[in-house]
Amino acid sequence: MRLSDLLEAEVVDRNGDRIGHVHDVRLVQDGPPLGTWGAALRLEGLVVGRGSIGTRLGITRPQMKGPWILKLLFARQRSSRVLVPWDRVRDVGQDRITADCVAAEGHDAFATDDPTPRP
């Protein structure tokens, strides 16, 4: 599977309700060593929803101090972004991904912009 297979795919929850589109992914570098490059990357979760643009740019992280106008803009979109943990993904189709969760379960993962999702 390639990252391009996931980006812009529609994500639906276990009830068939639309969560949003994948705008980014969260990777963790904790795999086996790959020569001088370091540990391999592992897909941790899918970043879904409109508010994910600020996340991708790093503007929503608490340690980011500015530009303040962008922090304000993306803070308002916070409720529309969801992190769907990769272990909750049940099916990856042509342009549709089915997750074994509901959108509300993913909002908590961005409460502190911690890179690890909460159970």
Side-chain angles (χ1 to χ4, degrees), residues 40-98:
L41 297 172
R42 174 180 56 85
L43 180 58
E44 182 180 50
L46 306 174
V47 181
V48 180
R50 286 185 318 230
S52 63
I53 296 168
T55 301
R56 187 175 353 157
L57 296 174
I59 292 171
T60 59
R61 294 183 183 268
Q63 61 269 30
M64 177 64 83
K65 300 301 180 200
W68 69 268
I69 192 75
L70 291 178
K71 285 192 70 75
L72 179 66
L73 174 72
F74 289 116
R76 291 181 180 204
Q77 294 180 346
R78 183 177 201 120
S79 64
S80 70
R81 64 185 171 158
V82 176
L83 180 68
V84 177
W86 183 245
D87 61 357
R88 302 295 297 272
V89 171
R90 294 296 166 240
D91 183 54
V92 178
Q94 178 94 8
D95 291 318
R96 186 176 173 131
I97 297 171
T98 304

Side-chain angles (χ1 to χ4, degrees), residues 101-118:
C101 62
V102 292
E105 293 174 23
H107 288 290
D108 292 339
F110 282 113
T112 62
D113 284 313
D114 186 5
T116 53
R118 296 184 180 108

